[in-house]
């Protein structure tokens, strides 16, 4: 397995170049780019500018693990408003285009958001329909769409079996699961998700979670690897069982308050321990 | 005439649903109401498929107005006009407002954001031809005039206006999406509307010389 981390973890004052250098120095193999989350990669970023980003990544000795986006929460493909759905289709299509330029074969989307206003029974068919259309674009580009399991935040597809039925309904080999092992909280166990989804897993986000604490104000339930309640040994065994040997991408929501760059080193070291099975 | 595929599909999406599709339309002047809510159209189409919809004409998710509606209603149709002004440009609402006022004396107001300002009403209560409790669809167009037959809380958002041999059923809160997602009350309500249209047609036939 290979290690990656998101450019959305760079401090604003670092900029892209300094952040990239840190990622390399800390020992990662790749970088996850977040469309819409940073000033260097937005919907206005041209193809030429994306190529320039790739050149810098190549020069740093890294590769792009995947392209994610931070736009789905405000512009979901499950919106009641067809105009918002059109915007969502546009930014996901742009993800696919930039993934090709950046030389990666996977993107992350948050597919479908249930709210009190937009109920589950509407979100499900709309999301399936939208993904079936996007799958055609993805197939042509040979880029896989990984739908992330943001279970509690999305209030959608809460169990691994439910997620499997959803992917069955989308029915495209170009749409799979971008598994976040920290997002499952107390509604399940990531190792069971891994066994159920196996070859449909496109990429993996790693972070740890304190299952029983719940959110309290701005306090996060997420924490650094090995500090939470995930059973990392079981997770590793499950990856081995299904033959997942792809990217692990650090997505640390809880950030260091001091020596911010230290989190990059510590997380890389923890990921090395995980990959090598020294648990 | 050069008709592009895009234009054709757009025109198809704007076409009303129901038996009138089979009738002659050539020469009818129309400002052509467009459909701003494709899933509402899909919901009605699915619910009407294979059913006897004689005498009913549906304008699902309508943005704008169609000048042929008045003639169709007066001729004996039950026209369901579902407004999607909350999802369309301001011009579409202006057209709709003028059309409803001129042809049927119905006054509609600006769409309200149902979920704004901490309000959580969430259900449309329809009272004709049967009672039905159906999820709101985020925006609603208040209506005054005719017989009020649907409310979001205290706000009248659906009205029945009889004219000539037919009637116009104005829906300011879309029902099509609930039909599409299989809401049983929405389906029962539509069945009752179809039955009401049939009896309207029988009355028209018996009163004809």
């Amino acid at each position: 397995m290979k290690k990656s981390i998101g450019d959305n973890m760079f401090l604003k004052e670092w900029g892209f170049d300094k952040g990239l250098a840190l990622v390399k120095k800390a020992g990662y193999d790749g970088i996850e780019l977040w469309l819409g989350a940073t000033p260097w990669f937005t919907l206005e970023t041209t193809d030429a500018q994306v190529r320039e980003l790739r050149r810098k990544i190549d020069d740093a000795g890294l590769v792009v693990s995947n392209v994610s986006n931070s736009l789905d929460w405000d512009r979901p493909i499950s919106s009641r408003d067809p105009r918002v759905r059109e915007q969502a289709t546009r930014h996901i299509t742009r993800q696919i285009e930039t993934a090709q330029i950046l030389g990666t074969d996977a993107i992350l989307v948050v597919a479908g958001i249930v709210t009190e206003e937009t109920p589950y029974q509407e979100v499900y068919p709309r999301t399936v329909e939208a993904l079936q259309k996007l799958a055609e674009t993805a197939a042509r580009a040979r880029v896989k769409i990984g739908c992330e399991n943001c279970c509690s935040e999305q209030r959608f597809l809460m169990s691994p079996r439910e997620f499997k039925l959803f992917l069955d309904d989308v029915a495209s080999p170009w749409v799979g699961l971008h598994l976040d092992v920290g997002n499952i909280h107390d509604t399940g166990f990531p190792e069971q998700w891994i066994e159920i989804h196996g070859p449909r897993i496109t990429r993996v986000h790693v972070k740890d979670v304190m299952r029983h604490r719940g959110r309290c104000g701005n306090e996060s339930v997420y924490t650094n690897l090995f500090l939470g309640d995930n059973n990392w040994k079981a997770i590793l065994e499950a990856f081995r069982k299904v033959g997942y040997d792809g990217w692990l991408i650090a997505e640390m929501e809880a950030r260091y308050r001091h020596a911010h760059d230290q989190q990059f080193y510590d997380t890389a070291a923890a990921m090395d321990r995980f990959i090598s099975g020294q648990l | 005439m050069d008709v592009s595929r895009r234009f054709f599909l757009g025109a198809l999406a704007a076409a009303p649903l129901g038996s009138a599709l089979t009738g002659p339309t050539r020469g009818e002047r129309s400002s052509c109401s467009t459909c701003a809510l494709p899933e509402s159209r899909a919901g009605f189409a699915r619910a009407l498929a294979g059913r006897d919809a004689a005498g009913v004409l549906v304008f699902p998710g309508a943005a704008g107005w169609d000048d042929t509606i008045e003639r169709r209603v007066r001729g004996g149709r039950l026209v369901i006009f579902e407004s999607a002004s909350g999802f369309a440009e301001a011009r579409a609402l202006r057209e709709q407002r003028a059309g409803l006022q001129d042809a049927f004396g119905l006054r509609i107001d600006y769409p309200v954001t149902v979920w704004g300002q901490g309000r959580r009403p969430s259900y449309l209560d329809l009272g004709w031809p049967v009672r039905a409790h159906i999820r709101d669809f985020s925006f609603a167009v208040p209506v005054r005039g005719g017989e009020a037959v649907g409310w979001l809380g205290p706000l009248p958002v659906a009205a029945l206006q009889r004219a000539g041999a037919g009637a116009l059923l104005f829906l300011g809160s879309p029902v099509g999406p609930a039909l599409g997602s299989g809401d049983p009350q929405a389906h029962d309500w539509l069945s009752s509307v179809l039955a009401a249209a049939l009896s309207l047609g029988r009355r028209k036939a018996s009163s004809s010389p």
Side-chain angles (χ1 to χ4, degrees):
Chain A
M1 286 186 273
K2 291 173 285 187
K3 304 195 299 289
S4 176
I5 193 164
D7 67 344
N8 59 343
M9 285 195 63
F10 296 176
L11 289 185
K12 280 195 178 70
E13 56 266 34
W14 292 351
F16 187 63
D17 295 353
K18 188 175 172 186
L20 210 53
L22 172 63
V23 170
K24 180 63 182 175
K25 195 174 169 196
Y28 294 92
D29 307 293
I31 184 165
E32 172 184 47
L33 293 188
W34 281 83
L35 182 66
T38 64
W40 51 82
F41 191 34
T42 70
L43 285 174
E44 283 71 47
T45 307
T46 64
D47 285 358
Q49 289 168 322
V50 174
R51 278 193 288 274
E52 178 61 12
L53 288 177
R54 180 171 180 179
R55 187 192 62 74
K56 288 181 176 181
I57 293 163
D58 289 346
D59 288 352
L62 295 164
V63 295
V64 177
S65 58
N66 64 304
V67 175
S68 296
N69 87 68
S70 61
L71 306 168
D72 287 331
W73 296 101
D74 290 332
R75 300 172 208 164
I77 53 172
S78 56
S79 170
R80 283 180 156 179
D81 189 336
R83 296 168 297 185
V84 175
R85 294 204 295 275
E86 179 58 36
Q87 289 176 338
T89 300
R90 273 205 296 274
H91 75 239
I92 294 171
T93 302
R94 183 60 181 155
Q95 271 182 277
I96 294 170
E97 291 166 358
T98 55
Q100 282 188 295
I101 297 170
L102 292 162
T104 183
D105 64 354
I107 67 164
L108 171 152
V109 301
V110 176
I113 298 171
V114 171
T115 66
E116 206 176 0
E117 178 180 2
T118 312
Y120 200 116
Q121 56 268 49
E122 287 178 19
V123 168
Y124 191 95
R126 255 184 233 137
T127 306
V128 168
E129 187 186 344
L131 283 170
Q132 284 172 337
K133 287 180 187 157
L134 284 162
E136 295 170 14
T137 309
R140 282 194 297 275
R142 306 197 71 73
V143 170
K144 287 197 173 184
I145 298 172
C147 303
E148 189 179 14
N149 58 309
C150 298
C151 314
S152 58
E153 286 88 356
Q154 274 175 295
R155 296 176 180 85
F156 186 49
L157 308 177
M158 300 293 284
S159 80
R161 181 160 168 73
E162 198 179 349
F163 211 112
K164 180 181 180 299
L165 293 173
F166 168 75
L167 291 178
D168 289 346
D169 284 343
V170 174
S172 167
W174 297 97
V175 180
L177 165 66
H178 181 118
L179 179 70
D180 188 319
V181 297
N183 277 353
I184 294 161
H185 299 207
D186 56 356
T187 58
F189 302 91
E191 56 272 23
Q192 295 173 17
W193 281 69
I194 293 165
E195 284 203 41
I196 287 171
H197 288 281
R200 274 175 161 168
I201 297 172
T202 58
R203 296 289 190 267
V204 174
H205 267 163
V206 292
K207 60 178 175 264
D208 217 330
V209 61
M210 291 176 280
R211 290 166 185 245
H212 306 295
R213 208 176 70 179
R215 280 184 191 273
C216 179
N218 288 328
E219 226 173 339
S220 173
V221 292
Y222 302 115
T223 186
N224 281 12
L225 305 191
F226 311 147
L227 281 174
D229 295 314
N230 269 346
N231 183 345
W232 290 98
K233 203 167 178 178
I235 290 170
L236 183 62
E237 290 302 321
F239 279 140
R240 285 176 175 164
K241 180 176 174 181
V242 302
Y244 183 81
D245 194 30
W247 285 98
L248 300 180
I249 303 145
E251 190 192 35
M252 318 310 293
E253 186 181 292
R255 308 285 168 90
Y256 284 16
R257 291 179 185 169
H258 304 283
H260 191 84
D261 59 325
Q262 187 61 38
Q263 191 168 24
F264 286 68
Y265 294 104
D266 293 347
T267 302
M271 291 169 83
D272 283 337
R273 287 287 297 262
F274 175 74
I275 292 168
S276 65
Q278 294 175 288
L279 297 167
Chain B
M1 187 172 71
D2 179 26
V3 178
S4 69
R5 182 172 181 274
R6 187 186 176 87
F7 177 88
F8 174 75
L9 291 175
L12 189 66
L17 295 166
S19 57
L21 275 179
T22 59
T25 55
R26 192 171 300 166
E28 288 176 342
R29 192 177 69 83
S30 168
S31 62
C32 194
S33 159
T34 57
C35 178
L37 272 181
E39 81 180 278
S40 188
R41 181 179 175 80
F44 270 107
R46 195 180 307 166
L48 288 169
R51 305 183 66 173
D52 183 3
V56 176
L57 193 60
V58 187
F59 287 81
W65 181 250
D66 187 317
D67 290 337
T68 67
I69 292 174
E70 183 180 6
R71 183 176 51 74
R72 287 164 158 168
V73 169
R74 292 188 182 280
R77 301 247 189 233
L78 174 61
V79 171
I80 301 174
F81 187 85
E82 183 193 63
S83 174
S85 293
F87 294 104
E89 305 301 321
R91 185 179 55 81
L93 175 68
R94 285 197 297 274
E95 277 181 29
Q96 215 162 83
R97 234 177 168 174
L100 286 161
Q101 169 76 57
D102 293 349
F104 298 101
L106 295 179
R107 296 180 304 282
I108 61 169
D109 215 331
Y110 289 100
V112 294
T113 306
V114 176
W115 288 79
Q117 300 160 348
R119 286 181 291 183
R120 300 165 63 178
S122 77
Y123 281 90
L124 162 71
D125 283 305
L126 288 170
W128 182 92
V130 290
R131 287 187 179 281
H133 198 53
I134 296 168
R135 281 190 319 273
D136 77 275
F137 204 71
S138 298
F139 287 92
V141 180
V143 60
R144 284 179 180 72
E147 178 190 347
V149 295
W151 298 264
L152 273 167
L155 194 68
V157 294
L160 183 71
Q161 182 67 294
R162 294 171 203 281
L168 177 84
L169 177 55
F170 174 84
L171 296 174
S173 177
V175 173
L179 290 168
S181 62
D183 182 327
Q185 286 197 28
H187 281 266
D188 289 348
W189 170 83
L190 185 64
S191 296
S192 298
V193 171
L194 297 183
L198 282 175
S199 67
L200 200 69
R202 278 195 292 272
R203 274 206 301 275
K204 181 194 167 198
S206 64
S207 65
S208 299

